[in-house]
Amino acid sequence: GGDGDDGSSSSSAGALGVMPHQIRGSLVSYQMMTPTVPAFGCCTGCSPLLIQAYQDDRLEVVHRVCQSTDSSYLEDLTGLTAFRADAADKLAAMEDDDDLWDDDD
């Protein structure tokens, strides 16, 4: 644990060491890589909102996750639903801006 040279922090380290968010492999070199990146704030596995909800009422969180067959509970809880909606709105706005440029030709 602790803030090491690899960017890991004690909050992401467990009994077996640091839990990577991604593991990537290379078929060319037959190597596994674990890129070090900041945790995504809306992560459905480790977001602060999810951790707080789990600490407040573990059984209720697990029950609601299991009842949500489409993952909407976790996505709503962590803010991922709102993040996606905001991203879609921004993409639509960008496409509208592109249409304005295309009309000038």
Side-chain angles (χ1 to χ4, degrees), residues 26-86:
S26 169
L27 293 175
V28 175
S29 63
Y30 298 105
Q31 292 181 337
M32 300 291 280
M33 298 163 277
T34 53
T36 302
V37 297
F40 178 49
C42 298
C43 178
T44 56
C46 70
S47 79
L49 293 170
L50 174 61
I51 291 170
Q52 185 61 53
Y54 183 76
Q55 289 172 342
D56 291 345
D57 192 349
R58 294 174 182 196
L59 292 178
E60 180 63 18
V61 170
V62 172
H63 175 75
R64 292 185 71 178
V65 167
C66 292
Q67 294 298 313
S68 175
T69 57
D70 62 355
S71 303
S72 62
Y73 174 71
L74 279 177
E75 292 175 2
D76 292 344
L77 176 66
T78 61
L80 187 57
T81 302
F83 178 84
R84 286 182 174 165
D86 186 45

